[in-house]
Amino acid sequence: MRIFNKKAGFNYEIEAGSRTEAGLSLSGGEAKSIREKHADISDSLIRILSNEAYLINANIPVLGAKLDPTRSRKLLLHKNELISIATKVKQKKLTILPISLYNKGRLIKLELALGKPKKQFEKRETIKKRDIERELKIINYKL
């Protein structure tokens, strides 16, 4: 079971070798909702506030509960991981992005990566490259 952030690859240039796994601090209903794939992390970001990482604006609805579905959730990282991520973000002016949400046994994990925002012309170039590759596959398939 995996929930992917499809907008991350399109809107950001993801740094190679910057992926990290983190745990999430959730309520019981939120964990059940994630296992049933009722979560959306496409508009979410990760911020470091007072030496703690938080997942902000992730939509994890809970049926019948009065919790806010887009509340901030604390990420569970080791101190040395948090410090290394924070220094990379400050030095290179990067953004911390959630890539995917999945379960590992009975635990819910979040894969995060560092990325740099793409400019509009870079997004157009990626769309053009994808279209050209798709056309080449069709031509090769017909031959």
Side-chain angles (χ1 to χ4, degrees), residues 75 78 92:
L75 293 180
H78 288 283
K92 297 181 182 179

PDB file of all heavy atoms in Angstrom, residues 75 78 92:
ATOM      1  N   LEU A  75       6.741  14.608  12.485  1.00  0.00           N
ATOM      2  CA  LEU A  75       7.526  13.530  11.890  1.00  0.00           C
ATOM      3  C   LEU A  75       8.514  13.008  12.925  1.00  0.00           C
ATOM      4  O   LEU A  75       9.085  13.773  13.693  1.00  0.00           O
ATOM      5  CB  LEU A  75       8.295  14.027  10.665  1.00  0.00           C
ATOM      6  CG  LEU A  75       7.457  14.423   9.460  1.00  0.00           C
ATOM      7  CD1 LEU A  75       8.363  14.895   8.349  1.00  0.00           C
ATOM      8  CD2 LEU A  75       6.591  13.288   8.993  1.00  0.00           C
ATOM      9  N   HIS A  78      15.447  10.802  13.724  1.00  0.00           N
ATOM     10  CA  HIS A  78      16.554  10.879  14.672  1.00  0.00           C
ATOM     11  C   HIS A  78      17.138  12.290  14.634  1.00  0.00           C
ATOM     12  O   HIS A  78      17.050  12.993  13.620  1.00  0.00           O
ATOM     13  CB  HIS A  78      17.641   9.861  14.303  1.00  0.00           C
ATOM     14  CG  HIS A  78      17.242   8.451  14.577  1.00  0.00           C
ATOM     15  ND1 HIS A  78      17.240   7.917  15.837  1.00  0.00           N
ATOM     16  CD2 HIS A  78      16.830   7.469  13.740  1.00  0.00           C
ATOM     17  CE1 HIS A  78      16.850   6.669  15.775  1.00  0.00           C
ATOM     18  NE2 HIS A  78      16.578   6.365  14.514  1.00  0.00           N
ATOM     19  N   LYS A  92      21.643  25.011   0.618  1.00  0.00           N
ATOM     20  CA  LYS A  92      21.324  24.956  -0.808  1.00  0.00           C
ATOM     21  C   LYS A  92      19.976  25.568  -1.156  1.00  0.00           C
ATOM     22  O   LYS A  92      19.558  25.523  -2.308  1.00  0.00           O
ATOM     23  CB  LYS A  92      21.348  23.505  -1.280  1.00  0.00           C
ATOM     24  CG  LYS A  92      22.704  22.848  -1.146  1.00  0.00           C
ATOM     25  CD  LYS A  92      22.648  21.431  -1.660  1.00  0.00           C
ATOM     26  CE  LYS A  92      23.974  20.725  -1.498  1.00  0.00           C
ATOM     27  NZ  LYS A  92      23.912  19.335  -1.973  1.00  0.00           N
TER      28      LYS A  92
END
